[in-house]
């Protein structure tokens, strides 16, 4: 006996290959059989969505919104008629004319010949003009407005009636699809893994890391495809959050996203051994958050030598405080500012998070923190030049200036990460800090190991087709904001 799932699959297959079948009393997406330049497929669509749906404008095809609770892509076939309805809008699919070049609309349902359709061999044609087919415009799809946290961005094309032509089969072949045929394409998709050649080259470095390897890592990761185009990001540069020339940040926002509500803000702080580094090294992370429809920020801070401990941490607080006052100017939520650091940027961020007593009065607390491979403490007997410059020459003061042993607050949710190929100094210092948080403070922060990555590749992977790190980060942000 055949099961229901088999029968449903067979029915879909018959539609896709073109067997003429009777109309069924059901509803679904009316999508392209061929992917074209959109792996999720293009679906017949009303322009806009929700309250902003432009029902009276010509229909388009748009990236299929599987799993979305939107009716602007739902079409129903009804027994006994040749009409195709849009149940959400109580309208029917109609052509403006029965001739080539006619556009499609969602019109009041009538018995007009312009609303009678046949569906044969995967082609949708007016009942009275089987020589005409619903056809997508050629070329690449245009970037369309996309809600936050969907990746890649949506695309759209115009659609019209054109002469049926086997040479244009890919543009003229459609099928009905259940709305849950596949999951909504969101940022938090389980990772496919690093490309094998990239993983192999990163592993070859082992757990050694220095400036040369950092440069080579950037070159190795660069070819991994990104999930957004440069045109999707708008950057406002050189915004001062303090009087020092290093107290500047850049704000990255999306050009292809829609949100009716303020969105989280994620400000990223670079590494550099306490005495170097630049916000430019975190541009990929800021771009990634912007590409999701969030507000991405990359920030500098004052460096050791001229600005010793705890200046770096205080700059983290100053940047958050400035953003809390200006986030709404860029669509951000002043109550949902996250700090994110890599390496020494994580050390400064951790000091800000866990030691608020070191901050000037009036410093705003972040909603959450993402701390990637931070050196939260160090070898007091053998400090590096950067550590001497930042913590001073008085070794007896070192224990009071690191994070472990000095945690005074655990009010900010934290996600820690380390890389699989991190040097022991990073994993050891995190283990010491985690022990203190769990044993002495009774809190267990979230932790993720970035498998296959080295010290900097985990940050550089954000926004690329390698989603293991971004999956953890986006889920963490989502859980924190949902909790509020």
């Amino acid at each position: 006996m055949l099961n229901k799932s088999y029968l449903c699959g067979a029915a879909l297959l018959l539609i896709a290959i073109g067997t003429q079948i009777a109309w069924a009393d059901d509803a679904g997406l009316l999508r392209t059989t061929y992917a074209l330049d959109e792996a999720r497929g293009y679906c017949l669509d009303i322009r806009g969505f929700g309250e902003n749906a432009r029902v009276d404008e010509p229909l388009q095809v748009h990236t299929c919104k599987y799993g979305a609770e939107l009716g602007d892509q739902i079409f129903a076939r009804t027994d006994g008629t040749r009409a195709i309805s849009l149940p959400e809008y109580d309208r029917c699919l109609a052509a403006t004319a029965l001739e080539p070049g006619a556009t499609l609309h969602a019109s009041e349902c009538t018995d007009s010949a312009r609303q009678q359709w046949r569906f044969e061999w995967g082609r949708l044609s007016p009942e009275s003009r089987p020589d005409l087919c619903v056809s997508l415009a050629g070329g690449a799809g245009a970037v369309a407005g996309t809600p936050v946290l969907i990746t890649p961005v949506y695309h759209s094309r115009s659609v019209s009636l054109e002469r049926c032509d086997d040479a244009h089969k890919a543009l003229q072949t459609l099928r009905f699809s259940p709305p849950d045929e596949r999951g909504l394409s969101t940022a938090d998709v389980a990772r496919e893994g690093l490309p094998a050649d990239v993983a192999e080259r990163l592993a070859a470095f082992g757990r050694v890391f220095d400036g040369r390897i950092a440069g080579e890592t950037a070159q190795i990761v660069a070819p991994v495809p990104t999930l957004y185009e440069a045109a999707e990001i708008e950057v406002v540069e050189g915004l001062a959050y303090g009087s020092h020339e290093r107290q500047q940040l850049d704000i990255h926002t999306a050009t292809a996203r829609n949100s009716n509500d303020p969105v989280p803000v994620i400000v990223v702080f670079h590494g550099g051994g306490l005495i170097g580094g630049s916000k430019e090294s975190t541009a990929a992370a800021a771009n990634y958050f912007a590409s999701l429809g969030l507000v991405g920020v990359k920030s500098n801070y004052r460096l050791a030598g001229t600005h010793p401990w705890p200046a770096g941490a205080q700059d983290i607080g100053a940047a958050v405080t400035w953003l809390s006052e200006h986030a709404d100017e860029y669509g951000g939520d002043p109550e949902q500012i996250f700090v994110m650091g890599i390496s020494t940027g994580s050390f400064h961020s951790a000091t800000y998070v866990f030691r608020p007593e070191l901050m000037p009065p009036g410093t705003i607390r972040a909603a959450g923190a993402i701390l990637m491979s931070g050196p939260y403490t160090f070898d007091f007997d053998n400090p590096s030049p950067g550590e001497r410059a930042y913590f001073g020459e008085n070794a007896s003061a070192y224990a009071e200036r690191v994070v472990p042993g000095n945690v005074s607050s655990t009010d900010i949710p934290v996600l820690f990460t380390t890389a699989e190929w991190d040097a022991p100094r990073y994993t050891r210092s995190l283990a010491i800090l985690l022990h203190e948080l769990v044993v002495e403070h009774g809190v267990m922060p979230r932790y993720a190991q970035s498998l296959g990555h080295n010290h900097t590749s985990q940050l550089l992977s954000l926004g690329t087709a390698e989603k293991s790190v971004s999956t953890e980060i986006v889920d963490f942000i989502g859980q924190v904001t949902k909790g509020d």
Side-chain angles (χ1 to χ4, degrees), residues 30 44-46 55-60 74-76 82-86 89-99 101-118 124-128 132-135 159-161:
L30 189 50
L44 201 59
D45 176 87
I46 287 178
V55 182
D56 295 321
E57 294 186 12
L59 299 181
Q60 62 180 357
I74 301 298
F75 292 80
R82 290 286 183 173
I84 299 178
S85 67
L86 290 86
Y89 302 97
D90 195 24
R91 296 193 180 199
C92 288
L93 177 64
T96 53
L98 298 176
E99 58 186 37
T103 56
L104 304 181
H105 285 257
S107 301
E108 181 181 349
C109 296
T110 69
D111 59 359
S112 167
R114 293 183 290 106
Q115 294 187 15
Q116 303 300 305
W117 301 92
R118 65 167 60 192
L124 184 61
S125 303
E127 175 69 21
S128 60
L132 299 179
C133 288
V134 171
S135 182
V159 62
S160 60
L161 289 181

Side-chain angles (χ1 to χ4, degrees), residues 12 29 32 50 89 108 160 209 226 244 272 336 339 369 381 393 399 412 435 471:
L12 285 171
L29 306 174
T32 53
Y89 302 97
E108 181 181 349
S160 60
F209 193 83
T226 58
H244 191 272
Q336 296 292 351
V339 297
D381 295 327
E393 296 294 336
I412 295 178
H435 181 273
T471 294

